Amino acid sequence: MVGVASPTAAFPSLETALKHHFGYDQFRPGQRSVIEAVLKNQDALVIMPTGGGKSLCYQLPALLKLGVMVVISPLIALMQDQVDSLTDNGVAATCLNSSLDFATIRQREADLLAGKIKLLYVSPERLMSPGFFGLLGQLLQTVGVSGFAIDEAHCVSEWGHDFRPEYRQMSVLREKFPQIGVMGLTATATERVRVDIAQQLRLRDPLVQVSSFNRPNLFYEVRPKSRDGYLELRQQVKQHQGSGIIYCLSRKRVDELAQRLTADGESVLPYHAGLADDVRRENQTRFIRDDVRLMVATVAFGMGINKPDVRFVIHYDIPRNIEGYYQESGRAGRDGEPAHCTLYLAYGDVATADYLISQKPDEAEQRIARQQLRQMVDYAETTVCRRRVQLSYFGESLGEHIEGLCHQCDNCTNPPPVEDWTVEAQKFLSCVARCQERFGMAHIIDVLRGSKKQKIVDLRHDQLSTHGIGKDRSVDEWRLLGRSLLHQRLVDETTDGYPVLKLNAASWQVLRKQISVEVAVPKDLTPGPAEASTLEDTPEVAQLLTVLKALRKKLADQQSVPPYVVFPESALRQMAQTRPQTMEAFGQVSGVGSRKLAQYGEVFTDAIRQFCADYGLESDPGAAKGRSRPARERRQTVGDTHRQTLELHRQGLSIQEVAAQRGLKVTTVASHLEQLIRQGETVDIDQLVNADRQRAIVDVLTEMENASLTAMRDRLGPTFSYEDIRLVRAAWQMEQQP
């Protein structure tokens, strides 16, 4: 049974369904068209960058169509993270994987067949296990299957950066269930990889949605790694705020860095395949729950997390390809807030990466991998806009920007000066020729600088005409030139493990003065621009954000879920800026759907009201500016705690008496009453504030309605409390409404 339900059956529009289930007012670019296609049972190939909202493309249709959406995902931790987030949001989701015992698997299968589940996450191995297609057949005949979603679909392609042979078997879904729609989703795929994915999954006339790969909130930079690059790394880590990931090529480097950072007082854990499974799981869990700030990891770490508030990613070793780097660095700033991505470049690391490639048994694999590594080195060495290089790799242009700059990478914000080094290049290449193209860069530099090393003398290279003609340049300058010549393909280097310089056709053009050579000479490194903040630069916003983060962490720990499952940081920042005090206002925060509103609305608004009361802040900034809506539009059911306060007030008790009886602060009770007034409940203001004080406060309100509470109290005098002003203002503003 394959069923398709229209969103209009329960919701007037897709946007209404989006707000109800996930709390967002509008779709991100590309999401709506994909969702419409999936609702029509059309195949789809979705290429969206990390943080672009791929998951929603199958999660919302799963809630609007009949049956179960089956999601094939590569890592158990990723599945569990998705299931936790969906469950906390009131969505019936579960997963089946090898970590579960027999009884749990049977119970979850029973829930599926009973129609209690809308999204099922499975690994490729589980999908192909004996008996699983039997379960799918049962689902098809009972509750129905609404679609298949293959996440991380680049794993299907041998041209992708993370090819997994078991993904090649996904085509069996089309063979066994031809009537069910299939969608592939990934953050990174070149044109070649996209074609391969569509062919391997046997997609039929799919909607192909390729969103922009541009991540404008990320700042990219490359730094040279000195002999002791750790010192700069440690300094950089201390400068950054928030969570961070440091990627390394080897397990040994991961362990060394984690130990040194721990010894220097950082909160850090390691992650690599050499650790026991339970240790890896525990370390990952502690990181995503904000129990530790840093994760030092091999590239095995990352696909299994959905942590949106990583503020920086550092690659301490060079990545093996641009696709991998794009995805790994893209784990920063998934929430759309500013984040920083740094790559440390050392040519010894490039040699190490090349050696690891040489250990691959398949020559074709080696050839592809070396090509990708060269592209990565080109990216690291480039002096043009780094974002432009990334986007070009995926077949996208940066667009029309002033001077072609993105203003969010080191080459755009701090461009190195370009100098004409044609004469130096001719000296260098001439020395390569005089040495009969049999030596590497270090030897050539020694000859140019007039070294008297025994090897130079034994080879009689001290007798060459080029010996000593480069004494005016340092070793580092000659090395910079040599690398630049390689980067510009003006000289070649053997790749058989013994890097020997070889002249090519372009080399001879330089020597004949047919080509000039320009070299970007790096200035002393300066830090990238300070990370921008979307928060208002006020102490109140920062303080309230700290309070809300602590509350979120407490609630998350109680539920054993990561803090971002409760609310993303972007939602907390909006709360800190707008200070919503009512359930209605809280429901307008982006990311607050009906489930989140019911689950967390009261506890968060209570905390915000208490904070505002403690600091004498506006309880409703919108209302203070005359933007409150009429009572009939705002009326809603108040929470139990507010109802109790209202009942005691109607019994004639003063604010102080209500506070004493309920064991609450006076400011809290006053906040309850203010909210009750704004929600249209009958509150006797004369019982709360005497007539003379009311008249004085109304006079000031009439004169300076849009002023802050502090300014009003300064005008009225210290005998007037903030509570009196807030209550009278609420009642007065309600009277002004039509």
Side-chain angles (χ1 to χ4, degrees):
M1 179 177 69
V2 179
V4 178
S6 168
T8 57
F11 302 99
S13 69
L14 284 175
E15 283 74 16
T16 307
L18 176 69
K19 180 62 178 176
H20 174 79
H21 289 295
F22 297 99
Y24 300 114
D25 295 314
Q26 58 187 11
F27 292 101
R28 294 182 183 181
Q31 285 181 327
R32 200 181 204 284
S33 60
V34 173
I35 290 168
E36 289 175 338
V38 175
L39 288 174
K40 296 173 184 175
N41 215 39
Q42 181 182 357
D43 288 352
L45 178 57
V46 181
I47 317 296
M48 287 184 178
T50 301
K54 293 185 296 298
S55 299
L56 190 76
C57 292
Y58 60 79
Q59 289 174 352
L60 188 58
L63 298 174
L64 299 178
K65 295 180 74 176
L66 300 175
V68 178
M69 178 71 70
V70 180
V71 185
I72 294 88
S73 186
L75 293 178
I76 292 174
L78 178 61
M79 294 181 210
Q80 193 57 57
D81 189 60
Q82 293 270 20
V83 170
D84 286 344
S85 296
L86 287 166
T87 302
D88 194 71
N89 212 30
V91 176
T94 193
C95 60
L96 293 175
N97 57 57
S98 58
S99 70
L100 305 173
D101 58 40
F102 182 79
T104 302
I105 291 174
R106 285 292 171 263
Q107 181 58 56
R108 293 186 179 184
E109 289 178 348
D111 290 342
L112 283 162
L113 294 170
K116 298 179 180 179
I117 302 298
K118 294 299 294 180
L119 286 110
L120 168 63
Y121 287 79
V122 297
S123 67
E125 295 79 9
R126 184 71 187 181
L127 180 74
M128 302 306 298
S129 65
F132 192 80
F133 286 110
L135 173 64
L136 286 179
Q138 288 181 275
L139 283 174
L140 197 62
Q141 297 302 318
T142 53
V143 298
V145 175
S146 59
F148 294 115
I150 292 112
D151 206 4
E152 307 296 346
H154 60 272
C155 297
V156 169
S157 174
E158 64 179 343
W159 302 103
H161 69 277
D162 190 28
F163 171 56
R164 300 187 178 203
E166 63 270 20
Y167 259 61
R168 287 289 203 186
Q169 304 173 61
M170 295 298 100
S171 60
V172 72
L173 293 173
R174 178 52 24 102
E175 293 174 9
K176 292 185 176 293
F177 307 100
Q179 73 275 42
I180 298 176
V182 177
M183 64 188 307
L185 307 100
T186 181
T188 54
T190 61
E191 177 62 30
R192 186 177 196 175
V193 172
R194 293 170 212 161
V195 172
D196 201 19
I197 291 172
Q199 290 176 345
Q200 294 299 325
L201 296 181
R202 301 188 184 180
L203 302 182
R204 295 177 304 213
D205 189 26
L207 168 74
V208 179
Q209 173 61 49
V210 182
S211 298
S212 174
F213 289 91
N214 190 18
R215 298 283 304 283
N217 61 311
L218 301 187
F219 182 89
Y220 295 98
E221 66 168 348
V222 176
R223 301 186 182 191
K225 185 161 66 176
S226 61
R227 188 175 298 275
D228 190 1
Y230 172 77
L231 296 177
E232 184 175 359
L233 174 73
R234 185 183 65 184
Q235 182 64 27
Q236 184 182 5
V237 166
K238 289 184 180 297
Q239 290 174 347
H240 283 301
Q241 301 294 318
S243 299
I245 303 172
I246 303 171
Y247 283 112
C248 304
L249 271 180
S250 69
R251 302 175 187 179
K252 180 181 178 183
R253 180 69 62 79
V254 167
D255 289 334
E256 289 174 350
L257 275 185
Q259 290 169 7
R260 293 186 73 177
L261 287 167
T262 299
D264 284 332
E266 290 293 340
S267 173
V268 57
L269 287 172
Y271 187 103
H272 57 70
L275 298 173
D277 290 347
D278 58 339
V279 174
R280 284 205 310 274
R281 283 194 297 269
E282 175 66 16
N283 288 359
Q284 179 166 286
T285 298
R286 291 183 63 192
F287 177 67
I288 65 176
R289 293 184 182 176
D290 290 343
D291 293 332
V292 295
R293 188 169 86 94
L294 301 175
M295 184 68 84
V296 183
T298 59
V299 294
F301 175 78
M303 283 183 67
I305 67 166
N306 191 33
K307 186 174 174 59
D309 56 353
V310 174
R311 297 271 66 86
F312 63 98
V313 169
I314 297 173
H315 279 78
Y316 195 62
D317 300 323
I318 191 167
R320 299 183 190 184
N321 52 65
I322 290 179
E323 282 183 71
Y325 176 67
Y326 176 85
Q327 189 170 70
E328 291 149 21
S329 61
R331 286 170 188 141
R334 291 171 61 105
D335 54 7
E337 300 295 322
H340 207 97
C341 305
T342 302
L343 165 61
Y344 282 88
L345 177 62
Y347 288 87
D349 296 339
V350 177
T352 300
D354 189 72
Y355 170 78
L356 294 174
I357 291 171
S358 71
Q359 303 306 299
K360 294 177 178 288
D362 186 278
E363 289 187 9
E365 256 190 86
Q366 288 187 27
R367 188 169 59 252
I368 295 170
R370 282 206 168 91
Q371 179 185 9
Q372 292 173 334
L373 179 61
R374 285 197 298 271
Q375 291 168 330
M376 191 66 236
V377 175
D378 288 345
Y379 168 83
E381 291 183 332
T382 188
T383 57
V384 303
C385 170
R386 299 198 189 280
R387 185 169 269 98
R388 184 177 294 279
V389 176
Q390 288 184 20
L391 297 182
S392 176
Y393 180 84
F394 293 111
E396 182 182 349
S397 63
L398 182 61
E400 296 299 325
H401 290 259
I402 298 175
E403 300 177 0
L405 304 178
C406 74
H407 305 290
Q408 272 290 85
C409 77
D410 53 351
N411 284 343
C412 288
T413 60
N414 189 32
V418 176
E419 299 179 5
D420 188 325
W421 280 29
T422 304
V423 173
E424 287 80 359
Q426 290 169 338
K427 292 178 180 179
F428 187 97
L429 296 172
S430 177
C431 191
V432 172
R434 299 289 180 186
C435 292
Q436 300 180 339
E437 302 176 69
R438 292 173 50 208
F439 298 90
M441 189 181 301
H443 184 83
I444 299 301
I445 293 173
D446 281 342
V447 174
L448 287 167
R449 286 182 43 79
S451 171
K452 293 293 186 179
K453 290 180 180 178
Q454 191 62 46
K455 180 181 178 181
I456 300 284
V457 174
D458 290 346
L459 291 167
R460 303 186 67 181
H461 285 178
D462 58 332
Q463 306 298 313
L464 296 176
S465 61
T466 52
H467 185 262
I469 63 173
K471 290 181 178 178
D472 58 327
R473 294 285 187 181
S474 68
V475 172
D476 286 343
E477 286 176 309
W478 282 117
R479 189 177 292 119
L480 171 67
L481 172 61
R483 290 168 182 162
S484 183
L485 291 172
L486 286 168
H487 175 56
Q488 298 180 54
R489 304 289 188 265
L490 299 178
V491 69
D492 292 333
E493 187 176 55
T494 57
T495 57
D496 56 359
Y498 301 94
V500 174
L501 295 176
K502 300 285 186 181
L503 301 181
N504 57 29
S507 306
W508 291 106
Q509 287 181 292
V510 174
L511 288 169
R512 296 182 186 118
K513 301 182 181 180
Q514 295 171 334
I515 295 178
S516 61
V517 177
E518 291 187 336
V519 176
V521 183
K523 299 181 292 185
D524 290 339
L525 285 174
T526 56
E531 294 177 10
S533 173
T534 58
L535 286 174
E536 297 174 10
D537 189 18
T538 65
E540 292 86 357
V541 168
Q543 288 171 330
L544 179 53
L545 183 60
T546 299
V547 169
L548 296 177
K549 283 184 175 181
L551 175 59
R552 178 182 68 165
K553 183 70 167 67
K554 176 183 176 182
L555 294 171
D557 287 346
Q558 289 173 354
Q559 301 172 65
S560 297
V561 297
Y564 60 78
V565 168
V566 177
F567 281 118
E569 187 167 335
S570 56
L572 295 188
R573 290 185 171 184
Q574 187 178 343
M575 295 175 203
Q577 290 174 315
T578 60
R579 301 193 294 273
Q581 312 279 311
T582 66
M583 293 289 278
E584 183 204 22
F586 193 76
Q588 299 306 308
V589 173
S590 181
V592 179
S594 57
R595 166 76 175 205
K596 297 284 188 185
L597 182 63
Q599 190 173 9
Y600 301 118
E602 192 163 314
V603 66
F604 272 87
T605 53
D606 278 349
I608 294 169
R609 278 194 298 274
Q610 185 62 58
F611 180 88
C612 291
D614 291 344
Y615 287 88
L617 299 174
E618 299 291 349
S619 61
D620 185 346
K625 294 179 174 60
R627 293 195 299 268
S628 283
R629 285 182 282 175
R632 62 179 177 272
E633 295 181 25
R634 294 197 313 272
R635 179 182 285 271
Q636 64 182 57
T637 303
V638 297
D640 289 341
T641 186
H642 297 75
R643 180 66 62 188
Q644 293 175 38
T645 294
L646 181 60
E647 292 302 322
L648 291 173
H649 164 73
R650 288 175 175 173
Q651 293 174 22
L653 275 65
S654 67
I655 291 179
Q656 291 75 15
E657 289 170 334
V658 173
Q661 184 162 327
R662 296 204 57 203
L664 300 173
K665 292 182 179 180
V666 169
T667 53
T668 301
V669 173
S671 293
H672 288 178
L673 292 168
E674 180 192 9
Q675 183 180 2
L676 289 162
I677 292 171
R678 293 194 181 283
Q679 291 178 343
E681 298 290 343
T682 301
V683 174
D684 186 357
I685 190 68
D686 294 331
Q687 180 183 321
L688 303 173
V689 184
N690 71 47
D692 290 339
R693 283 180 171 269
Q694 287 186 50
R695 282 192 290 271
I697 293 171
V698 169
D699 287 344
V700 171
L701 281 168
T702 303
E703 180 183 349
M704 47 191 303
E705 177 185 357
N706 294 330
S708 68
L709 280 174
T710 302
M712 292 182 188
R713 188 168 182 267
D714 288 344
R715 174 68 66 85
L716 289 162
T719 60
F720 285 78
S721 69
Y722 284 116
E723 288 72 30
D724 286 351
I725 301 172
R726 288 163 53 198
L727 290 166
V728 172
R729 184 182 63 182
W732 179 76
Q733 288 177 335
M734 291 298 292
E735 291 176 358
Q736 311 306 308
Q737 299 293 344

